[in-house]
Amino acid sequence: MSSSNKIIECVPNFSEGRDQKVIDSISDAIRSVPGVRLLDVDPGASTNRTVYTFVGSPSTIVQGALAAARVAYQLIDMTKHKGSHPRMGALDVCPFVPVSGVSVSECVAVSREFGSQLAEELGVPVFLYGDASVKGDYRRTMPQIRAGEYEGLSDKLQQKEWEPDYGAATFVPRWGATVTGVRKFLIAYNINMIATKEQAHRIALNLRSQGRNDGKPGRLQHCQAIGWYLQEKNMAQISINLTDFDVTPIHLAYEEACKDAAEMQLAVTGSEVVGLVPLQSLIMAADYYIEKDKLFILEEEHKVQLAIHRLGLSQLSPFVPNDRIIEYCLSEGGGAERGVGPLGRGSVAQLVKGVAARTPAPGGGSVAATVAALGSALGAMVGQLTYGKRQWDALESRMRTCIPPLHDAAMMLLPAIDDDTDAFSDYMSACRLSSSTEPEKEVKAAAVQKAARTTVEVPLKVMRTVDGCWEALAQVASVGNINCKSDVQVGARCLETGSWGAYYNVIINLDNIEDKEEREAFKREAESLLQNATAQLKNVLDIAHKRTA
């Protein structure tokens, strides 16, 4: 996956919530970093603390955090700081949150890179917490590390067990210390009810992880909840924080609240998300309702709309996906073109002109991905022109099985049009790195091999995607709309041509990989996939040729 598809959220907490000039200066620093988007600024006067939320790629997110820290270093003086929130530094805590296309381990690496650069550049002590921690269980959580706060930090740094992970164990009065690490994405989610505050709170106690005061836990894990009443809306809400939506997704919280409300003869009228949400949280909700009601929905846009409708997310105010889903906010084309690069988003004329130009990229790899995408799309089209028509009602279940893999393959292959060009560009950039010293030679060699591997893996992924289409296409060819027979035939040819084109790109780039065993493994897989593509093309064409009705 390219770095443009990797999204990390950063939520730095700065110890200044009263001076608007300082708050704005930090905001401006974050906004100044290309590839970073500032989503929210939440100052608190009593806490004297401001929480910033911004998103970006693994590389840009670090630069955004460093830019903010540089300004804070100049403008915040911890010797004068007072506030109700526990704190130990000007940049008190800087968590990184995986949002899309990144793992916790990747975010750990990002947090450590940030901590190392912060300590080196500003000369301040930095501690790691959570999954990023390396010093033992006694210093994994924020309360453990922040114990004693700023006032006790000078003495704490003199203790061997509290030596910082980065930077010297030296007290910096104006700054204090910073903690950085990784946490899961938190979804702030409210469920709307026609009920009293007390009734809403009773349900909240049933759901939240800590349960009631009797020590018995509630039904949902990673769930914080209370009930309250909105006078301005004349309704109650169950206010929920979901700290791990992979374990407790929003649709589960909603359904469990509805269950309790029904038992109490109360009405749930909808819900709302506070702030932004990851796309996956809504797709999970849509998939739940699709399976529950045996629906047939393919398009991501339709899945998002289903989730919005079933959860009642637009009851209090319109839920606009391009403004509320993190991935869509960062995509130039919004939801429909998320993850697709400029070649894939452009017109056919632009792509053809680009290929015909006197440049090595876009080249055969991008063309192979384009042709393969068209082939799988044609198969999906024939399935769609069969599904839902009365004369082919008996084929509905078969089409529901055949269409998704063909449709999904087409969507997966669109980003590959740009991935091939990007891989070539990255390889050429690696080859141009300086190698005048031994350390530079080592860095260049590693970069070249990494980039070379990508130039093989990208077309190989195209071949794998094509390979996953043949069974479905054979089914469509055998029973699909006979009026689309030629479309099946063209689609099959396109898929095989795409596989051949990707194969040629694998083979020509193999020579750049130094590891012989790795080269041979790539070659064996490519040859096997190509052999199957050739056999499957013949099979699909034979099926289509024999059909007369």
Side-chain angles (χ1 to χ4, degrees), residues 189-401:
Y189 180 59
N190 298 330
I191 298 174
N192 310 324
M193 300 182 63
I194 299 176
T196 66
K197 170 187 174 181
E198 291 74 18
Q199 289 170 326
H201 192 60
R202 281 171 59 189
I203 297 177
L205 294 176
N206 292 338
L207 300 183
R208 68 185 190 182
S209 305
Q210 72 182 78
R212 301 173 184 274
N213 294 329
D214 58 8
K216 183 180 179 181
R219 296 203 303 272
L220 301 181
Q221 300 178 54
H222 303 285
C223 174
Q224 305 161 353
I226 61 171
W228 60 30
Y229 199 84
L230 295 180
Q231 294 292 345
E232 67 275 17
K233 299 295 183 181
N234 194 25
M235 66 169 54
Q237 283 187 326
I238 305 169
S239 178
I240 298 173
N241 281 341
L242 297 173
T243 57
D244 188 340
F245 71 87
D246 287 323
V247 177
T248 301
I250 54 177
H251 66 269
L252 177 59
Y254 184 76
E255 290 296 318
E256 289 297 309
C258 288
K259 185 188 301 181
D260 282 15
E263 291 178 358
M264 296 170 64
Q265 297 181 313
L266 299 173
V268 172
T269 57
S271 63
E272 66 172 345
V273 170
V274 180
L276 282 82
V277 293
L279 172 64
Q280 184 59 25
S281 64
L282 296 185
I283 296 299
M284 290 168 68
D287 288 343
Y288 168 79
Y289 292 112
I290 288 170
E291 181 177 356
K292 178 184 176 184
D293 297 335
K294 296 181 173 56
L295 305 175
F296 183 60
I297 298 177
L298 295 170
E299 302 289 344
E300 180 178 285
E301 177 185 358
H302 295 160
K303 289 187 176 184
V304 169
Q305 291 299 328
L306 175 68
I308 293 170
H309 172 69
R310 291 298 178 90
L311 298 171
L313 293 178
S314 290
Q315 183 203 351
L316 298 183
S317 61
F319 185 98
V320 180
N322 282 354
D323 295 335
R324 304 297 299 281
I325 297 173
I326 292 175
E327 291 89 339
Y328 291 4
C329 288
L330 294 178
S331 173
E332 293 181 17
E337 296 178 343
R338 179 183 55 86
V340 181
L343 293 174
R345 289 199 307 269
S347 68
V348 174
Q350 289 172 324
L351 179 60
V352 171
K353 288 178 181 179
V355 173
R358 195 175 181 179
T359 56
S366 293
V367 171
T370 303
V371 173
L374 290 170
S376 53
L378 278 169
M381 180 197 81
V382 176
Q384 298 254 40
L385 291 174
T386 308
Y387 173 79
K389 293 185 176 291
R390 183 178 295 276
Q391 67 196 100
W392 292 300
D393 274 352
L395 299 175
E396 181 173 311
S397 62
R398 293 179 73 174
M399 290 302 107
R400 283 187 175 218
T401 301

Side-chain angles (χ1 to χ4, degrees), residues 76 102 387 393 433:
I76 297 177
V102 291
Y387 173 79
D393 274 352
L433 290 174

Side-chain angles (χ1 to χ4, degrees), residues 28 42 90 94 108 134 170 213 226 239 241 280 318 329 386 425 450 469 477 487 507 509 534 543:
D28 291 341
D42 186 12
C94 187
V108 166
V134 294
T170 303
N213 294 329
I226 61 171
S239 178
N241 281 341
Q280 184 59 25
C329 288
T386 308
S425 298
K450 181 180 179 181
C469 294
D487 298 299
I507 297 304
N509 290 317
T534 302
I543 292 171

Side-chain angles (χ1 to χ4, degrees), residues 86 88 129 138-149 156 162 179:
M88 64 188 294
Y129 84 111
Y138 73 95
R139 53 188 278 179
R140 285 186 62 84
T141 68
M142 277 303 301
Q144 289 173 325
I145 298 172
R146 200 158 48 195
E149 296 191 44
K156 193 171 188 175
W162 286 105
V179 185

Side-chain angles (χ1 to χ4, degrees), residues 78 88-90 124-126 150 153 157 170-178:
M78 287 301 294
M88 64 188 294
V124 298
V126 178
Y150 170 80
L153 183 60
L157 286 170
T170 303
F171 182 55
V172 183
R174 285 182 57 87
W175 183 267
T178 294

